[in-house]
Amino acid sequence: MTTPFQHEPGSAAGQVPPPQCPAHGTGIGPGGLRRMYGPEAEADPAGLYEKLRAEHGTVAPVLMHGDVPAWLVLGHSENLHLTRTPSQFSRDSRRWHALQDGSVAPDHPLAPIFTWQPVCSFAEGATHERLRGAVTDSMARIDTRGVRRHINRYSNRLVNDFCREGRTDLVSQFAERLPMMVMCAIVGMPDDYSERLVEAARDLTRGTETAVASNAFLIGELNRLVERRRAEPAEDFATWLIEHPAGLTDTEVSEHLRVVLFVAYETTTNLIANVLRMVLTDPRFRARLSGGHMTVPEAVEQTLWDEPPFTSILGRWAVGDTELGGQQIKAGDALIVGIAPANTDPLVRPDLKAGMEGNRAHMSFSSGPHECPGQDIGRAIADVGVDALLMRLPDLELSVEPDELRWVGNFVSRHLVELPASFAPSPEQAIDEEPLPAVSRTRASTDWEVASPAPRHPVGGVPMSRAPAGPGSAEPSAAPEQEAVIPAQRTGRTRVWRAVVRWWNGH
């Protein structure tokens, strides 16, 4: 079998310049392969995907940081096959020949992502079932209503920090903070929330020289949490992993906490920022808002199609020589799950402007046995958080032109740098000081309620009612504590923002 990777890192014919070399500033690397990193790739990732699709089809040879070769899977059906066939494409990175021959150093900028760890996301077979079972069983113990109370209160606290100023950056002052606050409460470290945790989590996927140090800091914090919970169990996710019958070691517990905390934080931060950007800038959303034809879950799903929180995932590693998308894949080759390009596959979305709300066939949470187990938690944080923000500040407007917005990141994750917005200054909202409920269930499990509960009082003179519950679920009643923190609306808001409030509550 042949391969387009005629240069292998470390070989005599494949000597490549170090990552800091100016030669890495161009989009074309050794062998004429396109780079998945650098200014060109980061400035227009969608354009890069289309070039690769035109040149190679549904599976394309590319170069990662340091000009390390890999395969980027672009097609939707090919990505489904990649993620659903572990017998051919394993999650065990130790199969990667670039690691086996030392071509990829342990301090590679993406090492926190691909280095094998004793977690379910790198395991297969019986080991995967044991570890994944501990994670999913522990997540099933999370009380959905209690968590939504946490989300609502934290959201209002964050809005209180800037509501008097009449301006804010919705990324740094809201989207980047809310997910970490919620996940710290779920994991069992609410008092450990800090800006350093936020910075470390955002640093892990950026391929920076400090990514390894940020990973070490995060692991240190979680190791201390595991020690505390071994000595003093509590009703939180860390304790549930420790006490699970699967018998996880301390290392396995801390590593799973790292994965859960990091993935949930990263995806939800990007999801909130992307939803808010679309609400403030996208004409399609404005048109749907004015007619009241879109609900919160539908808006989130549309965002997951158009701007997924993770653009791609490294990775999968070929178990043996095989073929995918017409390309000959060699045993030990690295493959990248192309989430964003799969979501724009012409066979799935011939018209990218067509609405996809209500359609969950996107790849934003991957697929197969390693599909994200906590995706509904992220959806709930985005739903409740954005709803609370718009209820408090219904006259939010973007402070800059849409084309002035900037992104940073790499092929794994694309971050909106800032989302400056202005609004009429308003007083701080009184926050209910009663203790928040525990995140553990005290009754039988029910499905996650994704749509935000609507307030029972009329908003803007329009009676509000709860959106219909999902099939087979009971109609929940709004808790008095939830109603106590729903702020009253200011008078004189514009017609479009009256529609915003109605839309975000399912009308």
Side-chain angles (χ1 to χ4, degrees):
M1 294 186 178
T2 60
T3 175
F5 303 135
Q6 299 305 316
H7 80 289
E8 291 293 340
S11 67
Q15 293 297 326
V16 296
Q20 297 83 6
C21 177
H24 283 284
T26 62
I28 304 296
L33 301 183
R34 294 191 181 275
R35 292 187 169 111
M36 291 288 291
Y37 68 99
E40 293 186 25
E42 294 171 7
D44 185 18
L48 173 62
Y49 302 147
E50 292 313 303
K51 290 177 183 177
L52 290 170
R53 206 188 304 271
E55 295 168 354
H56 302 283
T58 57
V59 178
V62 295
L63 298 173
M64 298 185 296
H65 289 67
D67 285 343
V68 177
W71 297 96
L72 174 64
V73 183
L74 301 156
H76 190 273
S77 62
E78 287 78 10
N79 272 290
L80 289 179
H81 181 76
L82 175 69
T83 55
R84 295 177 179 180
T85 317
S87 60
Q88 288 183 291
F89 305 103
S90 173
R91 278 289 289 137
D92 191 337
S93 62
R94 292 173 296 184
R95 295 179 179 273
W96 194 5
H97 53 64
L99 282 176
Q100 295 172 356
D101 64 17
S103 299
V104 177
D107 61 350
H108 190 277
L110 298 179
I113 298 174
F114 64 69
T115 301
W116 183 89
Q117 299 137 32
V119 295
C120 60
S121 55
F122 282 92
E124 303 289 0
T127 301
H128 175 259
E129 293 180 4
R130 179 179 74 89
L131 298 175
R132 173 86 175 199
V135 172
T136 55
D137 289 348
S138 298
M139 284 188 173
R141 298 181 63 175
I142 297 174
D143 176 58
T144 60
R145 292 190 184 181
V147 170
R148 293 175 74 85
R149 291 268 308 281
H150 283 262
I151 301 169
N152 190 58
R153 184 176 296 186
Y154 291 152
S155 298
N156 279 284
R157 285 179 180 173
L158 289 174
V159 175
N160 276 352
D161 290 340
F162 55 77
C163 63
R164 293 179 178 274
E165 300 176 9
R167 64 183 185 278
T168 186
D169 171 26
L170 293 173
V171 174
S172 64
Q173 294 188 276
F174 191 80
E176 287 188 345
R177 299 186 182 186
L178 178 61
M180 185 61 76
M181 296 172 78
V182 177
M183 291 310 302
C184 281
I186 291 175
V187 167
M189 47 192 297
D191 296 332
D192 297 320
Y193 168 80
S194 67
E195 292 300 316
R196 180 69 182 95
L197 273 177
V198 172
E199 293 171 0
R202 290 309 293 259
D203 196 32
L204 291 184
T205 63
R206 292 181 176 177
T208 65
E209 296 180 355
T210 58
V212 175
S214 293
N215 184 63
F217 167 78
L218 192 58
I219 283 292
E221 292 294 305
L222 294 173
N223 283 341
R224 285 186 283 275
L225 172 63
V226 173
E227 292 178 4
R228 292 201 303 269
R229 288 298 175 260
R230 285 286 187 190
E232 301 176 2
E235 289 297 320
D236 54 43
F237 190 79
T239 300
W240 301 333
L241 283 180
I242 291 172
E243 296 179 346
H244 193 273
L248 273 63
T249 65
D250 283 3
T251 299
E252 289 175 333
V253 172
S254 61
E255 288 290 351
H256 279 89
L257 290 174
R258 183 185 72 91
V259 171
V260 169
L261 187 66
F262 157 66
V263 174
Y265 170 77
E266 177 71 10
T267 56
T268 309
T269 291
N270 290 338
L271 180 57
I272 293 173
N274 292 336
V275 169
L276 287 172
R277 181 187 67 83
M278 287 190 172
V279 167
L280 295 177
T281 66
D282 197 313
R284 296 175 302 167
F285 276 67
R286 290 286 187 174
R288 302 298 299 276
L289 289 178
S290 61
H293 297 304
M294 185 179 285
T295 64
V296 175
E298 289 172 341
V300 169
E301 295 308 317
Q302 181 69 52
T303 304
L304 289 169
W305 275 102
D306 293 341
E307 196 73 44
F310 277 167
T311 51
S312 59
I313 300 175
L314 175 72
R316 296 294 191 279
W317 288 270
V319 175
D321 292 353
T322 187
E323 181 178 328
L324 181 66
Q327 301 283 12
Q328 303 299 317
I329 312 297
K330 297 175 64 177
D333 278 359
L335 298 99
I336 302 170
V337 181
I339 293 173
N343 286 356
T344 58
D345 187 338
L347 294 179
V348 177
R349 296 183 68 188
D351 180 7
L352 295 181
K353 295 182 180 180
M356 301 295 286
E357 61 269 15
N359 186 335
R360 291 195 176 189
H362 54 73
M363 290 289 300
S364 295
F365 296 107
S366 190
S367 185
H370 292 281
E371 182 175 5
C372 176
Q375 55 189 275
D376 284 336
I377 297 177
R379 284 185 172 102
I381 296 174
D383 171 32
V384 178
V386 172
D387 182 57
L389 174 69
L390 295 181
M391 289 283 285
R392 290 284 300 276
L393 307 173
D395 55 349
L396 270 174
E397 295 288 347
L398 191 65
S399 299
V400 299
E401 293 299 320
D403 58 7
E404 295 181 43
L405 297 176
R406 297 178 297 111
W407 284 261
V408 296
N410 57 28
F411 70 88
V412 176
S413 183
R414 189 167 178 251
H415 317 280
L416 187 63
V417 175
E418 57 184 4
L419 191 63
S422 59
F423 51 88
S426 63
E428 294 183 9
Q429 176 72 37
I431 303 296
D432 187 356
E433 295 300 329
E434 291 186 10
L436 284 165
V439 298
S440 61
R441 292 190 183 278
T442 57
R443 50 187 170 78
S445 174
T446 59
D447 292 336
W448 272 89
E449 179 194 355
V450 178
S452 291
R456 292 183 177 179
H457 60 278
V459 177
V462 180
M464 308 295 285
S465 60
R466 186 185 303 275
S473 63
E475 180 73 4
S477 58
E481 293 84 356
Q482 284 181 301
E483 293 185 3
V485 296
I486 295 178
Q489 298 299 294
R490 297 193 300 273
T491 60
R493 64 178 180 273
T494 63
R495 180 180 179 184
V496 66
W497 282 110
R498 190 177 296 112
V500 169
V501 177
R502 297 183 63 198
W503 171 58
W504 281 106
N505 286 283
H507 296 269

